[in-house]
Amino acid sequence: MTLYKIRITGDPALHTRALEVLAIDDYIRELVADMFETMDAAPGVGLAATQIGAGLRIFVYSYSTDDQEVRGVAINPQLSISEFSDEELDEEADAEGCLSIPGERFPLKRANRALLMATDLDGHGYQIEAEGWLARIFQHEFDHLEGMLYADRLVKPHKRLMKKAIKENEWGVPGLSWSPGQDYLEP
């Protein structure tokens, strides 16, 4: 198994729409196993292939509560979301982070419900109706496959604060990544 470096905002792979997976072969199965290992080591609750420089429409996810554990892979996913609620943005409950913007968290309005339709590693289609945090994870990872980071969706004043954090960390340029399990960033 391979632990991949995770690309940091500014890398072109993060800002490019991922390509469809044409066949589920040994390369894809190994890539997915490595993605789970990398996500777990980070640690994270989701990881898109674009975050490790593989421009394919794949993401892995892992979410658990006291009564539910959901862990899986979404190959060539499609996502339908509910309408956004009229409730105000909650600074804590709506806070979101991203492995490609390490250490930063800002609130972002997301739909409370999502329907994920995807293919698993055996080539079987499946769907999951998700609410709350699992719906947020699906939306976040799906955005990665579209070439979008959660930072791109932030609104004032959080957008301004994110831009400041990116500038202070000298991110926003190609070639930056970090290795899960290490406390420093490597170009």
Side-chain angles (χ1 to χ4, degrees):
M1 298 265 194
T2 302
L3 270 181
Y4 280 89
K5 289 184 176 184
I6 297 174
R7 308 286 176 97
I8 294 176
T9 186
D11 191 290
L14 296 171
H15 306 285
T16 304
R17 188 180 189 279
L19 301 173
E20 300 288 323
V21 174
L22 301 178
I24 299 171
D25 54 17
D26 288 342
Y27 168 75
I28 296 298
R29 283 186 278 280
E30 186 174 331
L31 177 65
V32 167
D34 293 343
M35 288 174 65
F36 273 114
E37 185 176 353
T38 302
M39 176 185 68
D40 292 342
V45 295
L47 181 70
T50 53
Q51 291 180 274
I52 59 170
L56 296 170
R57 295 190 72 77
I58 303 171
F59 68 77
V60 295
Y61 55 90
S62 180
Y63 175 73
S64 58
T65 62
D66 292 337
D67 57 352
Q68 176 188 20
E69 184 167 338
V70 181
R71 186 173 173 88
V73 59
I75 300 172
N76 296 331
Q78 296 177 0
L79 193 69
S80 296
I81 59 172
S82 65
E83 291 184 17
F84 287 59
S85 75
D86 292 337
E87 294 177 21
E88 277 193 38
L89 191 64
D90 183 307
E91 296 281 328
E92 288 186 36
D94 293 324
E96 194 166 312
C98 180
L99 296 175
S100 291
I101 309 172
E104 300 298 329
R105 290 183 63 79
F106 290 97
L108 175 65
K109 192 66 140 172
R110 294 276 192 186
N112 193 47
R113 291 189 313 278
L115 174 63
L116 173 69
M117 297 158 286
T119 301
D120 65 18
L121 274 178
D122 295 322
H124 300 114
Y126 71 91
Q127 63 182 35
I128 297 176
E129 291 184 39
E131 290 187 23
W133 272 101
L134 185 57
R136 179 178 290 274
I137 291 167
F138 289 164
Q139 291 168 77
H140 181 106
E141 299 309 327
F142 187 83
D143 276 354
H144 276 299
L145 303 182
E146 294 296 306
M148 181 177 289
L149 299 179
Y150 92 103
D152 300 326
R153 291 191 179 274
L154 293 174
V155 297
K156 292 179 182 178
H158 308 291
K159 187 173 203 75
R160 181 178 45 76
L161 294 170
M162 176 63 84
K163 285 181 180 181
K164 182 179 177 185
I166 290 170
K167 184 177 180 179
E168 286 175 356
N169 285 291
E170 298 179 357
W171 298 335
V173 297
L176 298 178
S177 62
W178 67 278
S179 298
Q182 298 179 5
D183 338 318
Y184 58 89
L185 303 178
E186 293 183 65

